[in-house]
Amino acid sequence: MSESAKVEISRGLENVYIKATSLTFIDGEKGILRYRGYDINELAKNAHYEEVIHLMLYGELPNREQLSRVKDTLNSSYEVPEDVLRVMEVLPKDSEPVALMEAGLAALATHEKGFKWKEGDREKALEIIGKVSTITANVYRVKEGLAPKIPKPSDSYAKSFLEATFNKSFSGTETSMMDNFLVLYADHEVPASTTAALVTASTLSDMYSCMVSAITALKGPLHGGAMEAAFAQFREIGDPSRVDEWFERNIVKGGNRLMGFGHRVYRTYDPRGKVFKSMAETVSKGEARKYLEIAERLEKLGVRYFEAKKIYPNTDFYAGIVMYGLGFPDYMFTPLFALSRTLGWLAHVVEYVDEQHRLIRPRALYVGPGERKFVPLDQRK
Ligand code: ACO
């Protein structure tokens, strides 16, 4: 029997399980998402990002003492070597923001000496989560031509990040919007970026390399780039009165993808998308309000049009409006996704290496020509 007769290729690795996990549960039919058993809606309402960090890395929500240990470690990890920020500063100002983030992380990796899996790797993950806040804040600062800034230790990771990025204070409501964003994007099982991190971890490479792999996979418009792409649609439409005409021309007749819609796993509303929609309703003023109205109309048209295919808004559809309402330019949306998802990437690689490690090495089914005789250059046609 030939090899091709025995093999079934799963395009896009659909329905292929590459690991067991106690981290995140998704029911794509019912629209349920849970981190270690806790419903995402409950966590978004009640838990701070630092509590979710402890939950994901150590298995349980922290008590007060554990929480303050997490906060202390984060606060003591914001500092990065000066050359890391200098590397980011000397790169072209028009670099893609995610490429700047990659460069910052790769520069941090040059300071990494003697990393060993299973020896304090959860603490290493915490340290990286701290440093990613510094890198992300400085993506914005470098792009805007501002002097680098290190987040200041505080009671809140979200607050330290916002204040370092914009060099101003934020209200409690704004800080909790940022905190909610971080909680909602923290993990989502094994999408392309987490899978890329796992492939790298499976070779027993170091954690920063896992981060770089993940972030490069995140960048594309079919994954982490979708928040920016969805927002670009709202900008292009420009006014709620133009939504119907735009939809007809671009989606119905043009056959283009509606960005911020559809998901490999969900066949209903993404539960995170619903939370972001209600957050957008509270944060949106001025331009953001207009984009919200555009998005709401687009949602109605999209849900009706795609009903048979079960394509619904995903988390990226409304999240950009929330971040825009907080003052972030569109180009920061993917770096913000990466900031939050660092937790999921690292929690998954630690879980994989510590508990179920094996080199990830799939196969490709050869479908090219059979054996051929080599033809010297001057005899080829
Ligand atoms: N707009 C229009 N059609 C769509 C969309 C969409 N957003 N999503 C899926 N479809 C259609 C496809 O055209 C295809 O139709 P066909 O069977 O008639 O050819 C069918 O649905 C299946 O599409 P696939 O791309 O095979 O489905 P997949 O499971 O790979 O889709 C994906 C997942 C890539 C996310 C897709 O829904 C998409 O491109 N969405 C837009 C980009 C986006 O919002 N990405 C963010 C995902 S969430 C995240 O990463 C945080």
Side-chain angles (χ1 to χ4, degrees):
M1 195 163 41
S2 76
E3 193 183 15
S4 58
K6 295 181 286 184
V7 170
E8 210 177 295
I9 293 175
S10 172
R11 287 184 58 228
L13 298 183
E14 186 160 9
N15 294 324
V16 170
Y17 289 75
I18 63 163
K19 75 192 275 263
T21 186
S22 311
L23 293 165
T24 293
F25 168 80
I26 305 173
D27 184 328
E29 294 297 326
K30 295 193 183 125
I32 294 170
L33 169 62
R34 298 186 198 125
Y35 296 164
R36 292 201 188 267
Y38 296 102
D39 189 84
I40 193 67
N41 293 292
E42 243 194 298
L43 289 172
K45 214 179 293 160
N46 301 307
H48 294 291
Y49 189 53
E50 296 85 344
E51 294 173 87
V52 174
I53 292 176
H54 191 281
L55 174 69
M56 297 306 254
L57 289 178
Y58 298 100
E60 296 297 339
L61 286 168
N63 59 29
R64 281 191 190 283
E65 199 189 313
Q66 290 165 327
L67 182 60
S68 78
R69 268 209 300 274
V70 167
K71 289 185 181 182
D72 288 349
T73 312
L74 292 172
N75 279 330
S76 63
S77 304
Y78 293 140
E79 286 290 342
V80 297
E82 215 187 302
D83 56 33
V84 171
L85 296 175
R86 235 181 303 129
V87 163
M88 291 174 73
E89 272 189 300
V90 299
L91 293 169
K93 293 274 171 292
D94 60 355
S95 303
E96 278 203 38
V98 182
L100 270 181
M101 221 173 157
E102 286 160 31
L105 287 164
L108 271 174
T110 64
H111 292 269
E112 183 76 5
K113 305 277 181 309
F115 168 78
K116 286 202 178 70
W117 290 98
K118 301 192 190 182
E119 286 182 17
D121 44 16
R122 286 170 173 79
E123 290 64 40
K124 173 55 77 181
L126 268 178
E127 181 194 312
I128 295 177
I129 292 168
K131 296 203 183 322
V132 168
S133 167
T134 309
I135 300 288
T136 314
N138 285 288
V139 168
Y140 172 82
R141 298 191 64 78
V142 165
K143 293 287 293 176
E144 299 293 321
L146 301 165
K149 228 173 165 32
I150 307 281
K152 284 205 186 94
S154 81
D155 196 41
S156 155
Y157 182 84
K159 176 178 150 78
S160 295
F161 168 70
L162 280 176
E163 292 185 354
T165 305
F166 295 107
N167 197 23
K168 63 170 193 167
S169 0
F170 282 81
S171 69
T173 314
E174 289 167 324
T175 305
S176 73
M177 289 273 170
M178 186 69 229
D179 196 50
N180 277 342
F181 175 93
L182 294 170
V183 169
L184 287 160
Y185 269 97
D187 190 38
H188 208 237
E189 205 216 60
V190 287
S193 55
T194 314
T195 302
L198 286 167
V199 170
T200 302
S202 84
T203 70
L204 298 181
S205 179
D206 66 278
M207 259 193 216
Y208 279 108
S209 305
C210 295
M211 287 289 298
V212 173
S213 301
I215 221 165
T216 49
L218 181 76
K219 184 160 90 178
L222 297 188
H223 187 13
M227 201 193 316
E228 191 178 338
F231 200 76
Q233 296 170 150
F234 310 151
R235 280 199 188 281
E236 189 187 317
I237 295 168
D239 190 88
S241 65
R242 290 202 282 273
V243 177
D244 292 49
E245 182 276 322
W246 183 93
F247 189 83
E248 185 66 23
R249 184 162 40 87
N250 285 282
I251 308 297
V252 179
K253 295 206 175 105
N256 295 316
R257 287 196 177 214
L258 182 56
M259 304 312 278
F261 255 65
H263 199 277
R264 175 62 64 79
V265 182
Y266 293 117
R267 292 291 168 255
T268 180
Y269 275 85
D270 179 332
R272 301 165 299 173
K274 287 188 188 169
V275 182
F276 276 122
K277 184 176 179 182
S278 61
M279 281 162 70
E281 278 157 8
T282 60
V283 82
S284 300
K285 299 188 264 311
E287 286 278 292
R289 169 66 41 186
K290 185 180 75 180
Y291 293 133
L292 176 60
E293 283 172 28
I294 292 172
E296 284 174 336
R297 178 69 194 150
L298 207 48
E299 177 194 335
K300 271 206 181 77
L301 296 177
V303 167
R304 201 185 308 145
Y305 185 72
F306 292 120
E307 195 184 357
K309 285 190 181 175
K310 298 191 173 176
I311 296 172
Y312 292 88
N314 58 50
T315 186
D316 294 330
F317 196 67
Y318 286 104
I321 300 177
V322 177
M323 290 296 106
Y324 177 79
L326 265 184
F328 285 100
D330 322 12
Y331 69 75
M332 282 301 289
F333 295 171
T334 315
L336 290 170
F337 187 153
L339 171 71
S340 160
R341 187 56 60 84
T342 294
L343 171 57
W345 292 332
L346 297 180
H348 274 282
V349 298
V350 168
E351 184 179 60
Y352 185 76
V353 175
D354 284 10
E355 296 168 18
Q356 41 192 306
H357 175 255
R358 195 162 186 227
L359 175 72
I360 297 175
R361 201 303 186 189
R363 297 294 312 272
L365 178 67
Y366 180 72
V367 293
E371 189 178 8
R372 296 199 277 181
K373 264 231 145 337
F374 182 78
V375 183
L377 182 58
D378 55 10
Q379 290 171 28
R380 290 178 214 154
K381 286 184 206 139

